[in-house]
Structure formats: C-alpha cells, structure tokens
Amino acid sequence: MVTGDSSLPPKKAIVNPKAIIHQRFGDKAHYNIEEIQESVSNGCPGLAISQKGPCLYRCCLQLPEFSVVSEIFKRKKDAMQSAAQKAVEKLSDPPVEDPSDQLVARLSYLFSNEFYSTCHPLSGHFRAALHREGCINGFVPVSLMTIYDSKVANLCKSIKPDIESKPLEVMLMIMDAATRLSDTVFASKELLSLRRTSPYPPEVLQSVEVSCKQETYVKVIRVPCLTEKIIEPLTLDVSSNNYYMDAIARELGAADASKVLLSRCIGKASSETRLYFHAPKSFQLDVMSEREVKDHQAYLNARASYLSGQDIYGDAILATIGYMWKSCDLFHEDVSSRTYYRLLMNKVPTGIYKLSREAVLAAELPEKFGARSSWRGMLPRDILCTFCRQHRLPEPAFSSTTDGGTKDRRPSEETFKCEVKIFSKHQDLIIHCHTGESFKKQSDAIQNASLKVLSCFNNYLMKLNMSQEKWTNGNGLGLDFYPEHISKELQFFSLVHKSWPGIKANTKRLLAVNGTNQSNSELADTICSYNIDGQDSENFPSNGCLVCICYSVCLVKEGDRELIEKNDEFEFELGSEAVTPDLEAVVAQMGVGQSANFRVELPPQELIFAANGDPTRTLSLLSSGGCSLEFSTTLLLVTEPLEDRMEKALFSPSLSKQRVQYAVQHIRESCATFLVDFGCGSGSLLDSLLDYPTSLERIVGVDISYKALPRAAKTLHSKLSQNSTSPVQGSGIKSALLLEGSITTFDSRVYGCDIGTCLEVIEHMEEDEATLFGHVVLSSFCPKILIVSTPNYEYNVILQKSTPEEDTEDKNQTKPCKFRNFDHKFEWTREQFRMWASELAEKHNYSVKFSGVGGVEGVEPGFASQIAVFRRVWDLTKDGNSSDLPYKVVWDWSSDNV
C-alpha cells in the first residue's frame, strides 16, 4: 500500500532539459520535428501493400554552435526533451542567466513600442488602460501580468517555485522588478499598477486598429460568498470608453481594477472564462494580525474556490471576457446560470458524461463498459483524464499486464489486466485500482478500470462523511483509496452540490403496465403513471439491444410548461444503465414506432438549470412550487445485439426459435402441465410457447431484473387475453405468474414443477453463481425435467466469420474468439459444460443427456447452442415449505378473471 507523507518538505521544481536550453539560448534555439511513418506487416504474405503504423517523431535541435538529433518517440514533446537533453550533455557547464534579470528584461519588453502593436492578451490591457480617466490613466494592474503572460509567470516560478499559489507575493515580486526600470516604467505601490513613464509615439498608437462600438454589454454571474445566497445574473457595460476591469471592480465594490484578482481559466483554456474577486485589504497576509487573518478566512467563497481550484474570498464575478491572440478587439460572451451549472457539472464524473451526451436530464454514466461499438458519449478513460484536469491533478497512470490462459480455460488465450493510479498535486497516492479482472482486449481493460475509478469518485463525492476505513477496506471494488490526499477544493463538493447525492436515490421503479393486472403492493411502488401510444409492432427491444429514441423533457405545473431538453436522435444500449432508470423502464416496454409520456419527480435543481431551458422561465416555475418533469419519447429504431445478428446470419430458423421448438418437444413428450422459466427476462420463451398447442396449464417466469419483467407482463397479458376469447387449438393456460427474484434463492411457489427451462442464462452469471444455481434448482426446486442451454464456445469461430462488421480494431493480429455478448461472464467448451452438468446430476440423483441446436450431431465443432436435459430419477416425498416466499409478485394472471 502506498501512502504519502504530509510531513515531507515541498518538492523542488524540476528544471527539464528544454527549460535549460531556453534559459541559455532563448529564441535562438530551433526545434524541427520530423514525422516518421512506420509500415507494419499486413499479415498476408505476397501482398505488396504496406499498411500505416502509428505516427512516430524525431526532433532536430539547432543551436548557434551545433545541432543534435533525438531518438524516435511516440510523442513530439518527448522527442524535443530528448534533443534538449543531448544538447545539455554536449554543453560544458552551460551558463544560465539569472531569472530575476530575465524578469526585468521581460517587463521592459512589455512596456516597449513593439509589444504595444502586437495582438497579445496582455497588450489589449495596455491599450485599454489609456482610456482610463483621471490619475489611473495608463496604469495596468500588476495582477494581470502573470495571468496573461506565461513568460512572466514562469520566471516568477523560477525565482520562487512555490509562489504560484500565492498571487499577492507574485504581484510584489513584479513590483520589485519594475523598480529596476525606473527610467521607463513607473511602479505605484499604492495602486499595485505599472505605467510607462513616457507616452507612446503617435505612430505606435495609430498602428493598432480597434473597432469602436459605442455600446457593448455583456452578461455575467455574481457568485456570492455565502452559499445560502443564490447566484445572480448581472449586465456589465464594457463599451469602448470603459475598461472592463474597472466595470468588474465597481460590481465587486472595489475602488478600481488594481484591487481585483483573477482566477485561472475555468473549463477550456481558450474560453477566457474566469472568476474575478476583490483582493484582501492587506496585500501581505503574513503581516496581518491573528484576528484579521481569521476574519479574512471567514470570507472564503466555497463555490468559487471549487470552480477555480484556488482560494477565492468574498463575492466573485464569473465572466467570459478578455483579449485574445488573434484579434486586438475585446472578446466577450454572455455567461448565464446555465453556463455556471454546466461548469459545476464538469467537475463531477457523472456530469462530464452527461454533458458529452448533451443529455443532462436523460443520460447516466453506465456502471459497466461492455463493447466500444455500443458505448455512446465520452469514453471512461477520457472522462477520467478530464476529471483529473478539472481538479488540477496529474494525468492518470495506467499500467497494463498480460495473462496466459489457465488450465480450466483456453490455454492459448492472452488476456489483459489494467491498474490505474491517481496522484495528488504533491504526488501522494489518491486511488490505486487493481481489480485483477481480465479482458480479451487491452483497451477494454483500460476502459473498465477507468470506469471503476470514476465510480469510486462518484461514490466518494456522494458520501463525503464516510470513514476512510470503509473506503479502503469495504469498497469491494479492488481499490485502495486515500481521500485525505484529495485537494481541499474537492471537499467543497457537499457545499456546492447540495442535492447531488439524490440524483439516483430518489428514483423509484416504473413497473405499471397499461392493460395488465398488477399486484397492489407493486403499484404502490410506482413513481408515476404513464401512457404508451401506438400500435404494437413486432420489433421490441431487449437487454443488449441498441435503441434509438427521440425525447423531450418539459418542466410542468398545472398546464404551464417549459421545454428544457430535447434530443431528436439519442442512442443507448438497453440494460446498460446509460439513461435514468425511469426512462429505461418505459423504453423497455415500447415497440418501434410507439410513443410514451410520463412524469417524474424533480431531480436536483442544478441539473434543471444546466439543461437548455430559458433560465428566467425555469426559475419562475420552480419558485412557485409544485412542479414535475414530463418526458415524451418515441422509439425510433432497435438494433439487435451482436449475438442475435450472428445467429441470424447462419441459422434459419434462428437459434432462439430452435431452442423454443426443442423445449416444446420435451413438453409434449412429458405431458407437462406446470412450467417454470428460470431467467425469463422479457418473456420471449414464455411468449413463444403460447404459439404452440401444448399440455401446459400453468406457467411461471422468474427473473432478477425488474426492468425486463414489465415487458414480459405486457406481451403475455395481451396474448393470453386474446387466447381466452379466441383460443389457440390445444392452448389451455389457466394461470401465469411473473416473479422478481434471484434464481439462486428458493421460493416454494416454483417447487416441484413438471419442467423447468433455463435457456441462455447461466453464462450471464459468474461461474460460481452458475454452479450455485445448479445445486439450488436440483436440490430445492426439484423439477421433474430441467433443460439448460448455453453457448458452445468452440462454435464462435464459425459465427464470428459471418459478422465482419464488428470490432475492426487490431485486424492484423490473430486473436482468440470473442464471447458472443459482452455481458457473458464465461462461455464453455463442450467438455467444460459436460463436466459441470455431470457433477450436478451425480450429486443430486438426476440423469443427464446432452444435445443441442444449431449444428449437426457428431460434426465438429458441435452444436452452436449446447443443451443438457436433467431428469429426476426419484419421486418427490415432501411439499415445498409454503412460508418460503422471497420472490416479489410482478404480475399475476388467471383465466378466471378474464
């Protein structure tokens, strides 16, 4: 376990080779980057077509005295550092100019005629300062120097490495350097500003063309120091005759721009979105009295500090305004409450994902990464990197390792594991993810490890008061977590996102199905009523399907509504928890072309304000109370999972239909009247059985997914009610029951059935859970016949040759076959399946025979779907305990009630 030592002294700044060369030669050092394209084998002997490999780089560094060439690297900056290192080694004791002298030289240049004429973020302030009136005319606040000129900032850090977090000390350092330029620059300690001692020549003033707009206004946001106060929209007059820094100073109650400090850029570095705040009365905190320091700390602005990652005191102004490199004109954009709340969201993993999907109210960060082809939005690794940048943390450290196959599995298979480490600014370990989970592709290992780290951060932010012991020992995720090393800005989370923990926790189930009979207890657990309109189609989604919907979300109250989010085409994988639970539950019950509308309770208000609605109207409705959200959605398209597409490409009828026919054959042969489908999902098997004349009178479906069961209820109810009025020949179903629960837990209502089915279910469980199910079903449920099917891994090589469109990554590498579905925890060979089933049968006094569908008996590689049929060879001597009823009734149908 790696821990940091907070007692260690601050680490010294590391001067890299490129910085040394710059200090010695400045602009006389020229780096020339050469791109090298390596060809790779195309894997086809005799084919004279080279394929492009990854881009590599080599750097030639030209100095006045000599030149050096670097080695070849994957990144440009590594090649540049290598060339600089070679140059440093070649130089004998290179002299380095004193950074204090360099700072004086840089200030001299900034106040030169040459600099005034350039398009530079700082030169714009020099020109604007000439429009200031009275005694402050021409004065440029020192606080702007390090913010808008990186060379000044770097020189200050060279003089004192830890000064970056102390803006007041930086200002004093620049003032001291300016006093050495008394002939050309006047330094006012009272104003903390600098001004040229002589005016600019007329030709210099006329050399810059700035468009003059008579009236220019920009919208900004005031962020009060007290978190109890809401943010306030303001409008600033930044017309050409007004220096915008003075306009901000007036809003903050400061005398002028010299009393205003600026934060770093928030969000994108090029956005010029910053926080402006009043400087403390004393510019030297070390000379304050103890009481003055305490009073000063009391005005720490939690929201502004959280956004910027630095200490901000008093009220702050959030604005997007400043001068840019490409133009001499003032750049500005309006900042609204939506901007503010989106900046807050971008500090949280879930928020980053929501914004990447442009679906603030609909999207959720999935708990698991399946296949890249079905993932939508920013990838987990990119989200993690963005999160670290937002909180000024170093880039995540990824470490991948390979594993060979084990004796129990395919011996030649190579798998990948990934570890992730997140460090603090001081290189203390925050998170170490080492789950040990293996994946067939390195990229999948990285993405899944990243997602686990993101989930840890999400959970931590929602439960900031949880003890460290619970995080390090009780998370169960293969994570070592050290929250004491997280920056204090992140500790402001609970003050800023007051209602964030309730986003998922407040969501209840959506289980009511139109036209079905549902238990009263289940109806009481429903969040709202909803309607599904349109004719039923033959195309319904199931877990693993990629669905495309259009949706809109309105804030409603007593007929008054405001559209706050809309998406004309929105894709997600059903069952992956990539959208809010209520939306996923409704879509799971729709057919293509059908529409639905439903209302839900309000999510946290910051999500509503971050959506696309009109802020004024939204605030008005929310302030009046009694509002709810209304979703309207239409299912546009359903794309079947890869597994289904593979099967349809080779088999007619499809494997799923062949499995149904196989089950029907055994039902007829056994004259079964009572059937239980273990892992019934959305009821596809039970629905299909109703199309065949059988002896069945009672059917029961059991599944752990409450999202899939409503779809099953709707389908079965429609067909059973229709059969009751126009019965299918031989169809005598008298009762049907859908139960929510784990098939590894006993329930007396499914004890002693004539026939049990578990088709293509066990591979979605961990192997130890599949074995547990086998023991429970044969020892406790005791079906007379049990049919279990699972994919034959050996057949995958044939199936995957029929679907060339999937996973084009790493084409040229010979790889073992993929599982048919990303959610499969395992896929067994024939030998593995036979061993599993035979051991169960012997232990529980059942006979077992093996067969399958999708293939020919005795022809390699066997059946595509392998089947084991267990038969009980002993008579039941006891009834199931009627008090064992852990399953929850989702739907109960009886022909007597039709």
Side-chain angles (χ1 to χ4, degrees), residues 599-792:
R599 291 189 181 185
V600 298
E601 297 172 352
L602 289 181
Q605 288 193 7
E606 60 191 70
L607 292 184
I608 298 176
F609 285 121
N612 293 314
D614 176 72
T616 305
R617 282 272 298 147
T618 300
L619 180 61
S620 175
L621 284 172
L622 289 174
S623 301
S624 61
C627 294
S628 63
L629 287 188
E630 182 179 86
F631 280 76
S632 299
T633 183
T634 301
L635 181 57
L636 303 176
L637 181 67
V638 174
T639 303
E640 293 178 318
L642 174 62
E643 181 180 11
D644 294 345
R645 300 201 302 273
M646 286 191 299
E647 294 177 356
K648 286 186 177 181
L650 278 184
F651 302 105
S652 182
S654 66
L655 278 183
S656 59
K657 191 167 186 178
Q658 290 186 46
R659 286 190 289 267
V660 171
Q661 292 171 344
Y662 188 93
V664 168
Q665 176 187 343
H666 281 75
I667 293 170
R668 288 173 173 171
E669 290 175 355
S670 63
C671 298
T673 60
F674 177 20
L675 176 139
V676 176
D677 187 19
F678 297 97
C680 65
S682 57
S684 57
L685 172 63
L686 297 176
D687 176 37
S688 299
L689 287 176
L690 298 181
D691 295 331
Y692 296 88
T694 65
S695 55
L696 291 176
E697 296 179 358
R698 179 184 174 196
I699 58 175
V700 177
V702 181
D703 203 278
I704 200 170
S705 172
Y706 70 85
K707 297 176 184 177
L709 291 171
R711 171 75 263 159
K714 183 178 180 181
T715 304
L716 293 174
H717 180 88
S718 176
K719 187 168 287 187
L720 285 171
S721 299
Q722 182 179 0
N723 288 352
S724 297
T725 54
S726 303
V728 176
Q729 185 179 1
S731 176
I733 302 295
K734 297 179 180 178
S735 69
L737 183 65
L738 292 179
L739 301 172
E740 178 197 343
S742 171
I743 59 175
T744 61
T745 301
F746 175 72
D747 189 294
S748 60
R749 283 168 290 191
V750 292
Y751 171 76
C753 63
D754 295 324
I755 190 164
T757 55
C758 184
L759 306 185
E760 310 297 293
V761 173
I762 60 172
E763 63 273 9
H764 294 272
M765 311 165 72
E766 298 294 344
E767 288 184 273
D768 56 345
E769 292 179 331
T771 300
L772 175 61
F773 162 71
H775 289 303
V776 171
V777 72
L778 297 182
S779 65
S780 300
F781 289 116
C782 306
K784 188 173 184 180
I785 298 174
L786 175 66
I787 303 174
V788 178
S789 76
T790 191
N792 172 15

Side-chain angles (χ1 to χ4, degrees), residues 829-839 850 857 866:
T829 62
R830 287 169 289 175
E831 181 182 354
Q832 291 171 314
F833 183 55
R834 284 175 179 271
M835 184 181 300
W836 175 81
S838 299
E839 290 177 356
F850 299 94
E857 182 75 41
Q866 49 189 341

Side-chain angles (χ1 to χ4, degrees), residues 512-545:
V513 181
N514 290 344
T516 67
N517 296 323
Q518 196 171 16
S519 67
N520 292 333
S521 62
E522 197 62 37
L523 284 171
D525 203 27
T526 302
I527 188 172
C528 63
S529 61
Y530 58 93
N531 297 312
I532 296 179
D533 300 322
Q535 194 170 17
D536 281 349
S537 70
E538 297 295 326
N539 196 355
F540 292 105
S542 59
N543 282 354
C545 287

Side-chain angles (χ1 to χ4, degrees), residues 827-870:
E827 288 183 4
W828 283 332
T829 62
R830 287 169 289 175
E831 181 182 354
Q832 291 171 314
F833 183 55
R834 284 175 179 271
M835 184 181 300
W836 175 81
S838 299
E839 290 177 356
L840 287 172
E842 182 179 359
K843 182 177 180 64
H844 299 290
N845 200 16
Y846 273 73
S847 67
V848 62
K849 290 185 178 180
F850 299 94
S851 183
V853 294
V856 180
E857 182 75 41
V859 177
E860 291 296 322
F863 294 104
S865 187
Q866 49 189 341
I867 298 176
V869 179
F870 299 85

Side-chain angles (χ1 to χ4, degrees), residues 152-198:
V152 170
N154 291 332
L155 288 169
C156 290
K157 284 190 288 184
S158 298
I159 298 171
K160 193 173 182 180
D162 63 341
I163 204 170
E164 182 183 13
S165 60
K166 303 173 182 178
L168 302 181
E169 288 190 29
V170 173
M171 294 163 62
L172 293 175
M173 181 182 292
I174 296 173
M175 290 293 293
D176 290 341
T179 58
R180 296 169 58 183
L181 296 169
S182 56
D183 292 339
T184 56
V185 179
F186 174 68
S188 171
K189 289 189 176 182
E190 181 183 355
L191 295 176
L192 271 181
S193 300
L194 304 178
R195 182 179 66 182
R196 267 177 63 119
T197 55
S198 60

